[in-house]
Amino acid sequence: MSSFIGDYICKIDDRGRITLPTAFKKAMSSDSKETFVVKKDIYEKCLILYPLNEWERQMEIIRSKINPYNKEHNIFLRGFFKGTAEIELDTNNRILIPKRMLEECNIEKEAVLAGQDTKIEIWSKNEYEKVSSGEDFACLAERIMANEETKSEK
């Protein structure tokens, strides 16, 4: 399983191609076959890039919770898959992001590719700078991690 760390500012060419940072390429497991699935994030104005093996793992999680004969579940699936695309690395280690997806997240000339363990977030450089506020993160870390610590002590 791949584990992506770090964030990288990357140029986007006129066709919507982004060169995958070398660190991310090296972190990819051989079973991902250089194929990715990209989709809009559920919560943030960014895209999520899943190596194929991680996408398949996410699908297993979803399938375990979904009843295809439940109308609400079908609405969730439709929203989850909306605008999703399968993409591949080309011979120059570039990925071609569909223009409609870049436009939806206001990603233009520069993007930030941010490793998030098993997936990569793709942000507009301006949006990424707005959401990476140190003090807010410190409070969140304290709230989440302090809670986990007290749970494990019980």
Side-chain angles (χ1 to χ4, degrees), residues 77-89:
L77 284 173
R78 191 173 305 115
F80 184 80
F81 284 104
K82 185 179 179 185
T84 303
E86 188 173 298
I87 58 177
E88 293 196 20
L89 261 161

Side-chain angles (χ1 to χ4, degrees), residues 77-129:
L77 284 173
R78 191 173 305 115
F80 184 80
F81 284 104
K82 185 179 179 185
T84 303
E86 188 173 298
I87 58 177
E88 293 196 20
L89 261 161
D90 68 13
T91 55
N92 294 317
N93 289 332
R94 296 176 302 193
I95 49 175
L96 176 63
I97 306 292
K99 287 214 184 240
R100 64 180 161 72
M101 297 178 95
L102 293 172
E103 289 169 358
E104 192 173 349
C105 293
N106 296 330
I107 302 171
E108 295 174 349
K109 299 287 182 196
E110 288 185 314
V112 174
L113 273 63
Q116 296 292 315
D117 190 20
T118 59
K119 63 186 180 185
I120 300 167
E121 292 181 342
I122 304 173
W123 289 85
S124 145
K125 186 179 175 211
N126 293 335
E127 284 295 316
Y128 188 71
E129 289 170 357

Side-chain angles (χ1 to χ4, degrees), residues 32-121:
S32 63
K33 303 176 190 159
E34 300 182 351
T35 302
F36 297 88
V37 174
V38 64
K39 70 177 299 304
K40 171 124 178 19
D41 186 60
I42 294 172
Y43 304 106
E44 303 287 347
K45 196 169 187 173
C46 70
L47 302 173
I48 305 294
L49 186 66
Y50 296 95
L52 189 58
N53 58 346
E54 175 59 18
W55 176 257
E56 290 168 351
R57 191 178 77 80
Q58 293 297 317
M59 291 301 89
E60 287 174 21
I61 293 167
I62 289 172
R63 286 182 191 116
S64 74
K65 298 178 181 286
I66 294 292
N67 175 350
Y69 297 100
N70 180 307
K71 185 175 181 176
E72 193 173 60
H73 291 200
N74 276 321
I75 293 168
F76 165 78
L77 284 173
R78 191 173 305 115
F80 184 80
F81 284 104
K82 185 179 179 185
T84 303
E86 188 173 298
I87 58 177
E88 293 196 20
L89 261 161
D90 68 13
T91 55
N92 294 317
N93 289 332
R94 296 176 302 193
I95 49 175
L96 176 63
I97 306 292
K99 287 214 184 240
R100 64 180 161 72
M101 297 178 95
L102 293 172
E103 289 169 358
E104 192 173 349
C105 293
N106 296 330
I107 302 171
E108 295 174 349
K109 299 287 182 196
E110 288 185 314
V112 174
L113 273 63
Q116 296 292 315
D117 190 20
T118 59
K119 63 186 180 185
I120 300 167
E121 292 181 342

